[in-house]
mmCIF file of all heavy atoms in Angstrom:
data_model
loop_
_atom_site.group_PDB
_atom_site.id
_atom_site.type_symbol
_atom_site.label_atom_id
_atom_site.label_comp_id
_atom_site.label_asym_id
_atom_site.label_seq_id
_atom_site.Cartn_x
_atom_site.Cartn_y
_atom_site.Cartn_z
ATOM 1 N N ALA A 1 0.600 4.061 10.749
ATOM 2 C CA ALA A 1 -0.349 3.040 10.778
ATOM 3 C C ALA A 1 -1.477 3.333 9.796
ATOM 4 O O ALA A 1 -2.355 4.183 10.103
ATOM 5 C CB ALA A 1 -0.889 2.749 12.191
ATOM 6 N N LEU A 2 -1.519 2.741 8.567
ATOM 7 C CA LEU A 2 -2.436 3.138 7.525
ATOM 8 C C LEU A 2 -3.198 1.982 7.022
ATOM 9 O O LEU A 2 -2.786 0.762 7.085
ATOM 10 C CB LEU A 2 -1.531 3.717 6.373
ATOM 11 C CG LEU A 2 -0.540 4.786 6.729
ATOM 12 C CD1 LEU A 2 0.427 5.007 5.513
ATOM 13 C CD2 LEU A 2 -1.265 6.074 7.085
ATOM 14 N N VAL A 3 -4.376 2.303 6.618
ATOM 15 C CA VAL A 3 -5.237 1.292 5.969
ATOM 16 C C VAL A 3 -5.746 1.829 4.603
ATOM 17 O O VAL A 3 -5.865 2.998 4.342
ATOM 18 C CB VAL A 3 -6.433 0.919 6.794
ATOM 19 C CG1 VAL A 3 -6.121 0.344 8.095
ATOM 20 C CG2 VAL A 3 -7.377 2.100 6.975
ATOM 21 N N ALA A 4 -5.981 0.848 3.715
ATOM 22 C CA ALA A 4 -6.657 1.081 2.390
ATOM 23 C C ALA A 4 -8.028 0.575 2.467
ATOM 24 O O ALA A 4 -8.331 -0.598 2.873
ATOM 25 C CB ALA A 4 -5.847 0.363 1.272
ATOM 26 N N GLU A 5 -8.975 1.511 2.231
ATOM 27 C CA GLU A 5 -10.435 1.213 2.539
ATOM 28 C C GLU A 5 -11.230 1.457 1.280
ATOM 29 O O GLU A 5 -11.043 2.506 0.562
ATOM 30 C CB GLU A 5 -10.860 2.110 3.629
ATOM 31 C CG GLU A 5 -12.225 1.648 4.187
ATOM 32 C CD GLU A 5 -12.510 2.580 5.434
ATOM 33 O OE1 GLU A 5 -12.522 3.785 5.345
ATOM 34 O OE2 GLU A 5 -12.700 1.992 6.499
ATOM 35 N N GLN A 6 -12.158 0.578 0.951
ATOM 36 C CA GLN A 6 -13.101 0.678 -0.145
ATOM 37 C C GLN A 6 -14.449 0.601 0.472
ATOM 38 O O GLN A 6 -14.890 -0.467 0.898
ATOM 39 C CB GLN A 6 -12.902 -0.407 -1.154
ATOM 40 C CG GLN A 6 -13.883 -0.211 -2.446
ATOM 41 C CD GLN A 6 -13.727 -1.414 -3.335
ATOM 42 O OE1 GLN A 6 -14.047 -2.540 -2.961
ATOM 43 N NE2 GLN A 6 -13.279 -1.177 -4.603
ATOM 44 N N ASP A 7 -15.301 1.657 0.340
ATOM 45 C CA ASP A 7 -16.611 1.690 0.732
ATOM 46 C C ASP A 7 -16.781 1.148 2.201
ATOM 47 O O ASP A 7 -17.697 0.336 2.457
ATOM 48 C CB ASP A 7 -17.467 0.887 -0.207
ATOM 49 C CG ASP A 7 -17.487 1.430 -1.624
ATOM 50 O OD1 ASP A 7 -17.449 2.664 -1.784
ATOM 51 O OD2 ASP A 7 -17.475 0.588 -2.531
ATOM 52 N N GLY A 8 -15.915 1.573 3.074
ATOM 53 C CA GLY A 8 -15.889 1.122 4.417
ATOM 54 C C GLY A 8 -15.318 -0.193 4.773
ATOM 55 O O GLY A 8 -15.177 -0.608 5.930
ATOM 56 N N LYS A 9 -14.806 -0.924 3.726
ATOM 57 C CA LYS A 9 -14.146 -2.240 3.912
ATOM 58 C C LYS A 9 -12.763 -2.093 3.776
ATOM 59 O O LYS A 9 -12.217 -1.620 2.748
ATOM 60 C CB LYS A 9 -14.720 -3.215 2.817
ATOM 61 C CG LYS A 9 -13.962 -4.531 2.815
ATOM 62 C CD LYS A 9 -14.426 -5.311 1.579
ATOM 63 C CE LYS A 9 -13.575 -6.641 1.354
ATOM 64 N NZ LYS A 9 -13.926 -7.389 0.171
ATOM 65 N N ILE A 10 -11.957 -2.563 4.762
ATOM 66 C CA ILE A 10 -10.463 -2.444 4.763
ATOM 67 C C ILE A 10 -9.930 -3.608 3.779
ATOM 68 O O ILE A 10 -10.253 -4.786 4.051
ATOM 69 C CB ILE A 10 -9.849 -2.587 6.173
ATOM 70 C CG1 ILE A 10 -10.274 -1.377 6.948
ATOM 71 C CG2 ILE A 10 -8.357 -2.700 6.077
ATOM 72 C CD1 ILE A 10 -9.803 -1.377 8.423
ATOM 73 N N VAL A 11 -9.112 -3.228 2.873
ATOM 74 C CA VAL A 11 -8.691 -4.195 1.859
ATOM 75 C C VAL A 11 -7.154 -4.327 1.901
ATOM 76 O O VAL A 11 -6.548 -5.148 1.216
ATOM 77 C CB VAL A 11 -9.082 -3.869 0.394
ATOM 78 C CG1 VAL A 11 -10.644 -3.940 0.313
ATOM 79 C CG2 VAL A 11 -8.611 -2.539 -0.027
ATOM 80 N N GLY A 12 -6.436 -3.454 2.720
ATOM 81 C CA GLY A 12 -5.031 -3.579 2.812
ATOM 82 C C GLY A 12 -4.578 -2.668 3.957
ATOM 83 O O GLY A 12 -5.331 -1.789 4.431
ATOM 84 N N PHE A 13 -3.427 -2.961 4.484
ATOM 85 C CA PHE A 13 -2.875 -2.020 5.468
ATOM 86 C C PHE A 13 -1.307 -2.032 5.418
ATOM 87 O O PHE A 13 -0.680 -3.017 4.938
ATOM 88 C CB PHE A 13 -3.418 -2.354 6.830
ATOM 89 C CG PHE A 13 -3.026 -3.647 7.526
ATOM 90 C CD1 PHE A 13 -1.913 -3.676 8.411
ATOM 91 C CD2 PHE A 13 -3.746 -4.790 7.208
ATOM 92 C CE1 PHE A 13 -1.533 -4.840 8.954
ATOM 93 C CE2 PHE A 13 -3.391 -5.947 7.813
ATOM 94 C CZ PHE A 13 -2.247 -6.041 8.682
ATOM 95 N N GLY A 14 -0.789 -1.015 6.002
ATOM 96 C CA GLY A 14 0.684 -0.872 6.114
ATOM 97 C C GLY A 14 1.102 -0.309 7.517
ATOM 98 O O GLY A 14 0.350 0.682 7.935
ATOM 99 N N VAL A 15 1.998 -0.982 8.216
ATOM 100 C CA VAL A 15 2.267 -0.458 9.521
ATOM 101 C C VAL A 15 3.763 -0.469 9.702
ATOM 102 O O VAL A 15 4.506 -1.409 9.402
ATOM 103 C CB VAL A 15 1.771 -1.454 10.630
ATOM 104 C CG1 VAL A 15 2.256 -1.023 11.987
ATOM 105 C CG2 VAL A 15 0.213 -1.433 10.617
ATOM 106 N N ALA A 16 4.289 0.687 10.153
ATOM 107 C CA ALA A 16 5.717 0.855 10.484
ATOM 108 C C ALA A 16 5.699 1.250 11.968
ATOM 109 O O ALA A 16 4.882 2.034 12.460
ATOM 110 C CB ALA A 16 6.454 1.951 9.581
ATOM 111 N N ILE A 17 6.704 0.635 12.700
ATOM 112 C CA ILE A 17 6.723 0.856 14.174
ATOM 113 C C ILE A 17 8.104 1.539 14.526
ATOM 114 O O ILE A 17 9.101 1.284 13.917
ATOM 115 C CB ILE A 17 6.464 -0.306 14.978
ATOM 116 C CG1 ILE A 17 7.509 -1.424 14.622
ATOM 117 C CG2 ILE A 17 5.036 -0.779 14.862
ATOM 118 C CD1 ILE A 17 7.346 -2.694 15.436
ATOM 119 N N PRO A 18 8.137 2.375 15.529
ATOM 120 C CA PRO A 18 9.409 2.932 16.034
ATOM 121 C C PRO A 18 10.395 1.874 16.423
ATOM 122 O O PRO A 18 9.966 0.889 17.040
ATOM 123 C CB PRO A 18 8.963 3.824 17.150
ATOM 124 C CG PRO A 18 7.468 4.048 17.043
ATOM 125 C CD PRO A 18 6.957 2.770 16.407
ATOM 126 N N ASP A 19 11.612 2.136 16.077
ATOM 127 C CA ASP A 19 12.603 1.126 16.523
ATOM 128 C C ASP A 19 12.990 1.249 17.891
ATOM 129 O O ASP A 19 13.960 1.865 18.242
ATOM 130 C CB ASP A 19 13.891 1.197 15.591
ATOM 131 C CG ASP A 19 14.879 0.097 15.853
ATOM 132 O OD1 ASP A 19 14.538 -0.816 16.588
ATOM 133 O OD2 ASP A 19 16.027 0.315 15.523
ATOM 134 N N ILE A 20 12.164 0.723 18.804
ATOM 135 C CA ILE A 20 12.404 0.858 20.278
ATOM 136 C C ILE A 20 13.631 0.091 20.738
ATOM 137 O O ILE A 20 13.985 0.196 21.931
ATOM 138 C CB ILE A 20 11.209 0.495 21.108
ATOM 139 C CG1 ILE A 20 10.798 -1.049 20.921
ATOM 140 C CG2 ILE A 20 9.939 1.293 20.759
ATOM 141 C CD1 ILE A 20 9.820 -1.592 21.956
ATOM 142 N N ASN A 21 14.229 -0.646 19.795
ATOM 143 C CA ASN A 21 15.498 -1.323 20.263
ATOM 144 C C ASN A 21 16.512 -0.293 20.609
ATOM 145 O O ASN A 21 17.487 -0.612 21.375
ATOM 146 C CB ASN A 21 16.014 -2.211 19.076
ATOM 147 C CG ASN A 21 15.407 -3.609 19.109
ATOM 148 O OD1 ASN A 21 14.445 -3.868 19.803
ATOM 149 N ND2 ASN A 21 15.980 -4.485 18.348
ATOM 150 N N GLN A 22 16.448 0.877 20.095
ATOM 151 C CA GLN A 22 17.392 1.958 20.513
ATOM 152 C C GLN A 22 17.336 2.156 22.005
ATOM 153 O O GLN A 22 18.353 2.549 22.656
ATOM 154 C CB GLN A 22 17.050 3.295 19.779
ATOM 155 C CG GLN A 22 17.308 3.399 18.359
ATOM 156 C CD GLN A 22 17.073 4.688 17.710
ATOM 157 O OE1 GLN A 22 16.726 5.701 18.389
ATOM 158 N NE2 GLN A 22 17.219 4.835 16.397
ATOM 159 N N ILE A 23 16.146 1.996 22.603
ATOM 160 C CA ILE A 23 15.970 2.148 24.055
ATOM 161 C C ILE A 23 16.220 0.777 24.744
ATOM 162 O O ILE A 23 16.887 0.705 25.747
ATOM 163 C CB ILE A 23 14.474 2.585 24.338
ATOM 164 C CG1 ILE A 23 14.275 3.890 23.615
ATOM 165 C CG2 ILE A 23 14.437 2.814 25.895
ATOM 166 C CD1 ILE A 23 12.765 4.386 23.705
ATOM 167 N N LEU A 24 15.728 -0.290 24.185
ATOM 168 C CA LEU A 24 15.824 -1.582 24.844
ATOM 169 C C LEU A 24 17.306 -2.001 25.018
ATOM 170 O O LEU A 24 17.652 -2.655 26.032
ATOM 171 C CB LEU A 24 15.174 -2.635 24.069
ATOM 172 C CG LEU A 24 13.583 -2.512 23.942
ATOM 173 C CD1 LEU A 24 13.068 -3.752 23.133
ATOM 174 C CD2 LEU A 24 12.879 -2.400 25.185
#
């Protein structure tokens, strides 16, 4: 869970989540 930040302002982000379908 990552953000791109410029001078304290978030200008972008990227999120990957675990594939909990393996459990579901």
